[in-house]
Amino acid sequence: MPRALFVLAPCLLLGCPTAGDPKPVDTQPPVDTTPPEETGFVCEENAAGDLPAEVTWISTGAAGGRYTFADRKMVSDYQGYNGTYDLNAEEVYGAASFTLEGPATIYGARVLWGHLPQEDMPAQLMLWPDFSSDFYAFDIWNPYGAYTRCLGPDDEYTEVTYAFPDPVQVSQPLPVFAGYHRGPVLETTEGEFDYTEPELVYLAPAFGGIPDPPVAGVRWPDVDEQTYHEGMIMSFYGFAVELAVVYDDSLAPEDKPFQDDDALRASSRVAWGDYDGDGDDDVMTNGPTLYQNQGDGSFVDVTSAAIPGGVTNSSGGGVWGDYDGDGCLDYFGQGGSYTAGEVLLHNNCDGSFTDTWPTSGIDDTQSARDCDGDGEPEHSPTEGVGWVDYDGDGYLDLYLANYECSSSYDYYENYDDRLFRNNGDGTFSDVSEEVGIETSNQAGRGVTPGDYDIDGDVDIFVSNYRLDKNFFYENLGQGALDELASSNGTQGSYNMDWRSYGHTIGAVFGDIDNDGDFDMVHANLAHPFYYHFSNRTMVLINDGTGEFDNEGDERGIYYRETSSNPVLFDADNDGDLDLFITNVYAERDSDFYVNDGTGHFELQNWESGLVVQNGWGAAAADYDNDGDVDLLAYDLFRNDDASSNHWLQVRAVDLEGNTAALGAVVQVDSGDLSQLRLISGGSGTSSQDSQTQHFGLGARDSIDSITVYFPYQEQAVTVSGVDVDQRVWVYSDGTHSTGFAPR
C-alpha cells in the first residue's frame, strides 16, 4: 500500500474535486530515437569534468541489492481512487533522498543508469530541494539544477560521475534529492513497453516494511492527481545515486549558543511554573511528573514527595495557575482517556499537593459519543487546556479543548469543548452551554488564552485539528464570549473544493514585529500529498484592528509536514521575538528562526544548536537565572549566548485572586524600542512558558518604563527608574521590588 494512503484519505470524508493541479513543465524534451546522422541531433552535456579531491561521498543508506532495469517491476494494475493504472508506463519522477550533516556544497554525483539503448543519449540527473521534510517528497517545480551526460549502451549499470557546472550550496542540514524524470511510456504492438528515456537503477524495494524515515520517493503526476497534490507518491524504492559534498561548517558544537543540558529530560508536554515561590522556575511534565529547580541549574524529581497521596488519573500535560487565590500555583493535568478523567493538584503552600479533581466538579463525560462501544457516557480525551478568568471575578476558570474518537466506534467523531467556571470555593461548574461554547464537533488540540486586544479582559484561541476550523473567542466583558475566528482571519484558510481548513496543533500570541499589537503563529500539520488543500504553518500578522493576515511565506517560514508546538522568545536579547517550532514523526528536526528585527525570520537550526527530533511540546524559561532564555523540548537546551546585549525580566503579581496574573500584558519601553509580552495561561499543545516575562534590549542600557495591564483592573501599573540586567517584580497595588526572589 502506498505510504500516502496510510493517512486518512480525504475523499472518504470530503469528496474529491473534478480537476487536479497543473503539471510541472518537463525538464527535458523527449528523446528522438532517429539516428543522429539523419537528424543532425548532437547531445550536449554539461556535467562532464573532475570533482574536487576533498569531496565526501554520501548515500541514502538504502538497504538491499541493486535491481537491473529488466528486473524492475511495479504494479501494473494499481487500484487508485480515480482509476486503474499501470505504474510501469506512467510518467514518473524518482529520487533518492540525502540528509546532510551540516551546511554543505554539492559538487556532483555518481549514478547507475538502467536503460541506455542508443549512443549519445542525454542522461539527465536532477537535483531537487526538499518538500515537507518527510524524506520522500521533493519539490519537482523548483529544481536546483539539471545535469546531463551523453551516454550509451556501454554505460548501462556502470558508475557514471557527474560534475555540476554550478555547485549547489545548502545552508542548513535539510534533505536533498537526486533523481530523474521520465515521460509516459508507450506500449508496442507486441505488448512490450517502448522505453526511449533512461531511468536510474533501482535498489531493492522495502516491501517488508517502509524505513522511517524513508530514503527515496517515486512520484507519478498523473496517478490520482484529482486526490493527491502532484499525483501519487510512494516511498518503497531506492536509487543507485551518491552525492559528492564538501561540508563547509566551521562552527564547533561547543561554540553554539544553545547547549543540550543533561540536567533534565522531559516527556512530551512541559509547563514552567514557580510552584514553591522561591523565584526560579520548576517544571511539570506528563505523568504528572514534577521537577524542582534547585537554584543552581539542576533539577530533582520530587513527584513522590510533593504528591504523597498520588493522583486519581494520569495526565498528558497541563498548565499552572493559582485557582484559589492563596498565592501558590496549582496545576491542572489533562486526561486523554475515555475511561478516566483529569488531575487537579491543589498546592498546599508547603511544597506538597493534593489531587482535588474528584470533588472539583470538573467532569467532561459526554453521552453524544460512544468511542469504547459500551453504550455508556465516557470521558472526553482532552488535548488542550488553558487557565483563563473569562468572567473577571478574580478566579481562574478552565477551558478544555477535547479531541476525537479514534476507535472503530464513532470513528473520527469529535468531542465538544468545555468551559468550567470557578465558583470561588474550590469547585467548578460547566458553563459551556450558557456561554455559547461551540458544539460543532471540532477536534481540539490546543488552548491559547490572552488579552490579545489589550482591553483588560482575557480572550481565548482554540487550535482545532482534522481539517477543522479554529475558534477565537473574543471577550466582550461580564462573561460574554463572541466566537469570531471566521471574521478575524484565525479560523484557517478555507478550501471550498475540499470543504476543509487545516490541522492546527498549537498556537502562540506574540508581537512579532514590535508594532504594539499581538500577532499569532499557528503550527499546522500539512501532508505533502494533501498540500493543495491543507493549511501550512501560519504567521498571522495583526493589522492593528484585530484582523489577522497570514504572511507565513513572506515572513520566511520553511514548509515542514508535521509542525506542532510554536514558542516565541527572545533568544539573543536583541529586542525581538525569535521562533521555535517542534515537528513530530521520526527524525524530523525542529525549526529555530531568528527574527531580523522586522518580524521576518531566518532558519538557523545549524548555527543555534537548538534542534530536537520528533518533538511535541515545548516551553521557554530562564531556568538558571542568568539573563537569557532557555528552552525545554524533551531535551533541556541551555542558552549560553555570550552577547553583551542588555535585558530585563518582569514578574507580575496580582495580590488578589489570579496571583500569577495569567492573561496580563506587560510592556517595556526603552528609548526607540517598545515591547509587549503576554503572560501565558497555556499555549501550543498544552505547554506553558514561564510567568516571568523576558525582554531583550540590545545595546540599550536604560529603561523608560514598565507597564503591566492586569486583567480587569481599570488602571495599569507603571514603574520607572529601574536598571537593566535584572528582574523586577511588579505588584497590582503599584509597588515593585527587584531581585530574582520575591520580596
Side-chain angles (χ1 to χ4, degrees), residues 82 109 111 150 215 227 234 324 392 415 423 498 500 526 602 647 720:
N82 307 110
V111 305
C150 297
V215 295
T227 302
M234 286 184 179
D324 57 353
Y415 296 82
N423 299 319
W498 296 84
S500 66
E602 180 183 355
W647 53 274
S720 58

Side-chain angles (χ1 to χ4, degrees), residues 585-605:
Y585 291 4
E587 297 189 40
R588 271 62 166 184
D589 287 347
S590 56
D591 288 316
F592 175 65
Y593 295 93
V594 171
N595 192 326
D596 69 355
T598 69
H600 294 78
F601 296 102
E602 180 183 355
L603 186 64
Q604 291 193 6
N605 283 4

Side-chain angles (χ1 to χ4, degrees), residues 180-245:
Y180 76 105
H181 168 238
R182 175 192 43 78
V185 177
L186 301 178
E187 189 172 354
T188 67
T189 55
E190 291 78 20
E192 301 294 330
F193 290 116
D194 184 14
Y195 289 94
T196 59
E197 297 179 66
E199 290 193 86
L200 292 176
V201 168
Y202 283 65
L203 298 176
F207 282 113
I210 303 172
D212 199 358
V215 295
V218 184
R219 184 187 293 276
W220 290 269
D222 293 323
V223 174
D224 281 345
E225 78 275 16
Q226 300 97 327
T227 302
Y228 299 121
H229 177 64
E230 296 176 352
M232 189 186 72
I233 185 170
M234 286 184 179
S235 58
F236 293 138
Y237 290 90
F239 297 93
V241 185
E242 294 175 292
L243 289 184
V245 305

Side-chain angles (χ1 to χ4, degrees), residues 250-468:
S250 59
L251 185 62
E254 61 271 18
D255 294 332
K256 297 180 180 182
F258 283 91
Q259 297 292 311
D260 194 336
D261 190 340
D262 60 7
L264 181 62
R265 291 290 184 270
S267 60
S268 192
R269 299 175 174 98
V270 292
W272 293 102
D274 182 9
Y275 86 92
D276 52 7
D278 61 357
D280 51 40
D281 280 305
D282 312 295
V283 65
M284 188 82 84
T285 185
N286 288 17
T289 302
L290 177 60
Y291 296 94
Q292 184 184 49
N293 191 330
Q294 302 302 292
D296 59 359
S298 66
F299 294 84
V300 173
D301 183 345
V302 296
T303 308
S304 298
I307 317 174
V311 295
T312 304
N313 306 299
S314 63
S315 69
V319 287
W320 296 100
D322 181 9
Y323 74 82
D324 57 353
D326 62 358
C328 305
L329 283 179
D330 312 298
Y331 179 82
F332 179 84
Q334 64 191 30
S337 169
Y338 309 117
T339 58
E342 278 72 35
V343 171
L344 181 62
L345 295 178
H346 175 258
N347 192 331
N348 301 316
C349 295
D350 61 1
S352 70
F353 295 86
T354 301
D355 184 6
T356 60
W357 175 79
T359 59
S360 68
I362 300 172
D363 180 8
D364 66 345
T365 55
Q366 298 188 27
S367 58
R369 307 285 172 263
D370 187 17
C371 197
D372 54 15
D374 63 1
E376 299 294 327
E378 58 202 22
H379 289 279
S380 309
T382 302
E383 284 291 318
V385 62
W387 287 112
V388 50
D389 180 8
Y390 84 95
D391 54 0
D393 64 355
Y395 290 101
L396 288 174
D397 312 300
L398 196 62
Y399 190 104
L400 273 61
N402 293 318
Y403 195 46
E404 68 183 8
C405 172
S406 56
S407 76
S408 57
Y409 299 93
D410 277 352
Y411 193 54
Y412 286 117
E413 289 294 315
N414 304 317
Y415 296 82
D416 294 332
D417 292 354
R418 290 288 184 261
L419 177 62
F420 290 94
R421 182 182 183 274
N422 190 330
N423 299 319
D425 59 1
T427 66
F428 294 78
S429 299
D430 186 346
V431 294
S432 308
E433 184 174 351
E434 65 183 76
V435 173
I437 299 304
E438 286 277 339
T439 58
S440 53
N441 196 231
Q442 314 297 336
R445 275 292 202 187
V447 180
T448 308
D451 184 5
Y452 89 102
D453 48 6
I454 321 178
D455 65 352
D457 50 38
V458 187
D459 313 289
I460 308 170
F461 176 81
V462 183
S463 303
N464 288 321
Y465 195 67
R466 202 59 71 188
L467 303 177
D468 293 336

